[in-house]
């Protein structure tokens, strides 16, 4: 038995390793187990418990990607416009043509999906019509969404192939080929054990990145982030560190949400037809509509890009016409009046009560804290409006954002430059033609990703992430079957790996008795303080809330230096227990996610996402020079970054 | 709005095969105190208030108190999660109370049979688009 500081080392060989337990991982498990021959082995490793892990842990009130009768081409056009044109049509189309199948499975497994009157008993798969809150969004009773999806995945995989509470912190390249994945290493957050995996293929799906920037609440409310607080950028950091190419890491998401609780606004806008106004009661969207003309074609679409809608909000806030109010009161009153007219007072009363429940459920299914804010502030939405506020920035590839990892696309759609297998492209170069392509593979052989991991392909949301995990499952299996003769060889021995993982523990043990205050010691830094330092740099220099999302080249160059020093000091992080060791490694990952974001922003000499951030030295969208992907790569040996352009290509017409 | 454990109600899940809140917390926050054998939220400012610990506690010993740095006191949001529905009781600071009940699933927990009635995968289609339960011949290609 290991003890703290003296962990047991467990070596595990598996053909396929799934890192993460969220929607993409569950999708992968489900699809994979139906295809794979008996002798191909699989292991899923989750930092938490699958029943409530990942971004859907709390539940959701809607599934935001269900195509129904819409065409995948229209889905591509919507996503492209929302993300200011620089996205991968092949990846988005691929999600679009697969995603409904996953949603239909969710319903079959027990997820309650709202239906149109008359279709209540008719499943989606038999043509039942859902209640759409928008063109792509359907309403659900989603408190147990993740429990249901995880149950199916766990049943498919078998519990023998699942390990929970193990945090994978590092991927490992093959000793004989530095573009080939060979393993991963992590530790149990509950027992004194280190796990070393040797594997043929990996799906790295550990979510997006939260708390890289200083959050608006810095006291007890620091955990009430919009995206899940446990998403620590591990997907991006671990893939980047083994030389996987990143893409569009300059993209960020700054959702405008109900202030402080970060409750969802989608249903209020789309379902209840609520409007948002400034402090004078003016509709900011109308008042500032002309500003959208500065950003053709993205501002001129029927639904302007999300960042541009933020851009109009920020003008109000900067010029002192805040706060922005969601007029929940007016919306519910108007609906009540129309019901009375249409159905008479008695029936209207019932309908209004139902409507009120729907409004609360929107929070209670996915953002319970917002209900707590309203309860504490005596906010009854039918009587008073509520404030909206843009949040701190987040990195993600599945919601209304598109940062992530550069991957192959589907063989039947992707152009040759987005297809590869045994010979991944070098930085800035095209891959050699004629290789067999493996969909959703990174530029590291055998390393795949999905969900928040795949870049330049946003608006997958929960359902699209599940579907993308399924897509990746098939090509991973194909990879493994084509490379059965591969024997992974690790370049470091297991003791060295264990020491590297436990370095924060060693630092603590060596110096803990030097000072009388465990948190203040010149020989180490606590993970908590390191995180605060990262957040301060990102907030003040890299366009966080403190500068109203504004920066410039000088500020960012200072940030590069400061992050460099922070990285050196990160080697002095301490951990006094396993929980803190988890925090130390999470923050190590956060630094890399933040640094990627910074370097990409600095490279892109324009402001592609006004409303999400402004580079004031280049405060415009430059379609001629910058309608391209910005990609980056770390040299796994030297740690040096290179940042470069890759050409954008429209596969679906955008007019 | 971090979760907290009511001392009197928590029995450390001593009759269970695992400590429920410790098992479920997605952020590894719930821990069993060695001396008292009761659960405790060990890092309250990293609590996402996802309520996973509240919903799963067999003793109803876990509740949530709104973030002290944001929200006025005395409100509460309390769930009671059953097998097919959840009941929420929202108490406002001014004493008003609202109750809501929502369905959570249409099947019995644990009853999912993931491949029942599903076709086998056709391994010759492994490199084609489409899932095992879809007909890859009808997979759309980009047409405009």
């Amino acid at each position: 038995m290991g003890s703290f500081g003296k962990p047991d080392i467990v070596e595990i060989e598996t053909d396929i390793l799934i890192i993460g337990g969220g929607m993409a991982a569950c999708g992968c498990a489900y699809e994979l187990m139906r295809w794979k021959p008996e002798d191909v082995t699989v292991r899923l490793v989750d930092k938490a418990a699958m029943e409530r892990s990942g971004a859907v842990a709390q539940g959701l009130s809607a599934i935001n990607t269900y195509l129904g009768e819409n065409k995948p081409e229209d889905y591509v056009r919507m996503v492209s416009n929302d993300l200011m044109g620089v996205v991968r049509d092949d990846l988005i189309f691929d999600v679009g043509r697969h995603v409904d199948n996953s949603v239909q499975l969710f319903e079959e497994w027990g997820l309650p999906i709202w239906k149109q009157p008359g279709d209540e008993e008719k499943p989606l798969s038999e043509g039942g019509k859902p209640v759409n809150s928008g063109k792509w969004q359907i309403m659900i009773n989603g408190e147990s969404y993740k429990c249901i999806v995880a149950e199916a995945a766990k049943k498919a995989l078998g519990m023998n192939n699942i390990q929970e509470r193990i945090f994978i912190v590092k991927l490992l390249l093959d000793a004989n080929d530095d573009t080939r994945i060979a393993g991963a290493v992590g530790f149990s957050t509950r027992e004194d054990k280190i796990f070393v995996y040797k594997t043929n293929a990996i799906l790295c799906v550990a979510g997006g990145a939260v708390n890289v920037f200083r959050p608006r609440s810095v006291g007890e409310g620091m955990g009430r982030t919009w995206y899940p607080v446990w998403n620590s950028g591990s997907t991006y950091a671990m893939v980047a560190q083994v030389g996987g190419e990143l893409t569009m890491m300059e993209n960020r998401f700054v959702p405008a949400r109900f202030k402080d609780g970060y409750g969802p606004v989608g249903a209020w806008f789309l379902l209840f037809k609520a409007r948002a106004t400034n402090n004078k009661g003016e509709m900011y969207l109308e008042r500032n509509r002309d500003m959208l003309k500065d950003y053709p074609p993205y501002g001129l679409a029927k639904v302007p890009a999300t960042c541009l809608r933020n851009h109009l909000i920020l003008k109000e806030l900067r010029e002192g016409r805040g706060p922005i109010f969601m007029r929940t009161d007016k919306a519910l009153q108007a609906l009540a009046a129309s019901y009375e007219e249409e159905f008479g007072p008695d029936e209207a009363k019932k309908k209004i009560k139902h409507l009120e429940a729907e409004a609360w459920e929107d929070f209670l299914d996915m953002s319970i804290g917002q209900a707590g804010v309203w309860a504490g502030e005596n906010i009854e939405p039918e009587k008073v409006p509520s404030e909206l506020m843009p949040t701190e920035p987040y990195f993600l590839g599945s919601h209304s954002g598109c940062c992530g990892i550069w991957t192959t696309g589907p063989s039947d759609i992707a152009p040759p430059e987005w297809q590869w297998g045994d010979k991944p492209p070098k930085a800035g170069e095209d891959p050699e033609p004629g290789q067999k392509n493996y969909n959703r593979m990174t530029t590291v052989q055998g390393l795949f990703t999905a969900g928040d991991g795949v870049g330049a392909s946003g608006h997958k949301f929960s359902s699209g992430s599940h579907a993308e995990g399924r897509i990746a499952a098939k090509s991973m299996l194909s990879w493994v079957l084509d490379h059965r003769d591969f024997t992974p060889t690790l370049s470091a021995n297991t003791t060295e790996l264990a020491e590297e993982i436990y370095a924060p523990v060693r630092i603590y043990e060596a110096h803990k008795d030097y000072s009388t205050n465990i948190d203040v010691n010149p020989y180490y830094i606590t993970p908590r303080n390191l995180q605060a330092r990262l957040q301060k740099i990102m907030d003040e220099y890299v366009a966080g809330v403190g500068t109203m999302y504004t920066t410039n080249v000088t500020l960012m160059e200072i940030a590069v230096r400061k992050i460099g020093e922070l990285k050196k000091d990160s080697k002095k992080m301490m951990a006094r227990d396993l929980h803190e060791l988890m925090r130390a490694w999470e923050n190590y990952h956060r630094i890399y996610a933040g640094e990627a974001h910074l370097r990409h922003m600095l490279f892109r000499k324009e402001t592609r996402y006004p409303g999400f951030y402004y580079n004031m030295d280049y405060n415009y969208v430059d379609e001629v020079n910058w309608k391209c992907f910005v990609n980056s790569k770390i040299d796994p040996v030297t740690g040096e970054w290179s940042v470069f352009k890759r050409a954008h290509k429209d596969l679906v017409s955008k007019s | 709005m971090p979760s907290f454990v009511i001392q009197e109600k928590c029995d450390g899940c001593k009759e269970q095969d695992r400590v429920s809140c410790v098992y479920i917390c997605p952020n590894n926050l719930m821990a069993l105190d060695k001396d008292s054998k009761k659960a405790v939220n060990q890092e309250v400012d990293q609590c996402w208030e996802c309520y996973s610990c509240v919903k799963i506690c067999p003793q109803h010993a876990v509740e949530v108190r709104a973030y002290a740095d944001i929200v006025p006191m005395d409100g509460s949001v309390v769930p009671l999660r059953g097998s097919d529905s959840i009941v929420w009781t929202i108490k406002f600071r001014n004493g008003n109370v609202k109750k809501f009940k929502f369905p959570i699933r249409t099947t019995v927990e644990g009853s999912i049979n993931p491949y029942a009635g599903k076709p086998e995968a056709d391994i010759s289609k492994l490199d084609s688009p489409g899932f095992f339960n879809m007909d890859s011949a009808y997979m759309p290609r980009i047409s405009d």
Side-chain angles (χ1 to χ4, degrees), chain A residues 573-619:
Chain A
M573 260 191 294
M574 63 78 114
R576 72 197 84 177
D577 54 30
L578 290 174
H579 182 72
E580 199 163 36
L581 186 61
M582 179 180 81
R583 292 287 180 252
W585 276 98
E586 285 177 341
N587 286 332
Y588 194 60
H589 293 163
R590 282 192 178 94
I591 295 175
Y592 276 85
E595 184 179 13
H597 184 61
L598 164 64
R599 288 183 182 273
H600 277 238
M601 279 172 68
L602 194 52
F603 184 81
R604 185 178 277 282
K605 301 286 186 285
E606 63 157 2
T607 294
R608 179 59 47 173
Y609 308 105
F612 288 171
Y613 79 81
Y614 302 91
N615 178 344
M616 296 309 284
D617 290 334
Y618 304 93
N619 190 12

Side-chain angles (χ1 to χ4, degrees), chain A residues 519-582:
Chain A
D519 292 313
V520 186
N521 187 314
Y523 296 107
Y524 59 64
I525 180 167
T526 62
R528 175 174 289 263
N529 278 327
L530 182 117
Q531 180 171 326
R533 201 167 127 197
L534 171 67
Q535 291 176 344
K536 183 173 166 70
I537 296 168
M538 296 302 290
D539 185 55
E540 293 175 354
Y541 296 92
V542 198
V545 297
T547 61
M548 291 282 260
Y549 315 103
T550 300
T551 185
N552 60 38
V553 171
T554 318
L555 284 163
M556 286 190 280
E557 283 172 347
I558 296 172
V560 169
R561 285 204 300 278
K562 285 181 179 279
I563 293 276
E565 299 307 317
L566 184 68
K567 270 164 83 177
K568 288 180 202 158
D569 286 354
S570 72
K571 309 279 183 209
K572 294 183 184 165
M573 260 191 294
M574 63 78 114
R576 72 197 84 177
D577 54 30
L578 290 174
H579 182 72
E580 199 163 36
L581 186 61
M582 179 180 81

Side-chain angles (χ1 to χ4, degrees), chain A residues 74-194:
Chain A
D74 288 328
Y75 172 61
V76 174
R77 280 187 271 271
M78 176 277 290
V79 178
S80 172
N81 190 78
D82 195 65
L83 293 165
M84 302 295 283
V86 188
V87 291
R88 285 268 301 271
D89 290 5
D90 60 328
L91 299 169
I92 301 163
F93 189 91
D94 205 23
V95 168
R97 64 183 174 169
H98 283 93
V99 64
D100 287 9
N101 189 272
S102 276
V103 180
Q104 288 161 14
L105 286 175
F106 302 157
E107 182 174 38
E108 194 181 308
W109 294 335
L111 179 68
I113 293 179
W114 296 12
K115 292 288 167 46
Q116 298 284 354
D119 272 7
E120 287 89 348
E121 302 304 318
K122 202 174 179 186
L124 292 172
S125 59
E126 289 167 24
K129 295 267 178 295
V131 174
N132 276 81
S133 56
K135 190 169 177 181
W136 312 98
Q137 298 91 349
I138 63 173
M139 299 301 292
I140 59 173
N141 300 106
E143 188 279 334
S144 292
Y145 188 2
K146 182 65 200 311
C147 311
I148 291 166
V149 171
E151 184 185 321
K154 284 156 83 168
K155 287 259 183 72
L157 264 176
M159 288 310 287
N160 291 344
N161 298 317
I162 298 170
Q163 290 177 284
E164 295 181 333
R165 300 293 169 187
I166 291 171
F167 182 21
I168 299 291
V169 298
K170 214 174 139 70
L171 306 181
L172 304 168
L173 292 170
D174 191 73
N176 304 313
D177 183 348
D178 62 4
T179 68
R180 174 64 158 106
I181 206 71
V185 58
F187 63 96
S188 167
T189 61
R190 298 288 171 83
E191 300 174 294
D192 297 295
K193 280 186 183 167
I194 282 177

Side-chain angles (χ1 to χ4, degrees), chain A residues 260 369 372-377, chain B residues 1 66-75 93:
Chain A
D260 298 334
V373 173
W374 280 12
E377 298 201 330
Chain B
M1 205 173 184
Y67 295 125
D69 57 335
I70 302 177
V71 186
M73 295 173 76
D74 301 334
R93 178 170 162 88

Side-chain angles (χ1 to χ4, degrees), chain A residues 308-327:
Chain A
L308 296 176
R309 302 203 303 274
N310 271 23
H311 179 55
L312 308 192
I313 288 179
L314 290 175
K315 182 177 171 71
E316 297 305 287
L317 298 183
R318 265 196 311 271
E319 294 181 1
R321 288 185 297 277
I324 300 297
F325 285 116
M326 176 77 91
R327 299 309 306 243

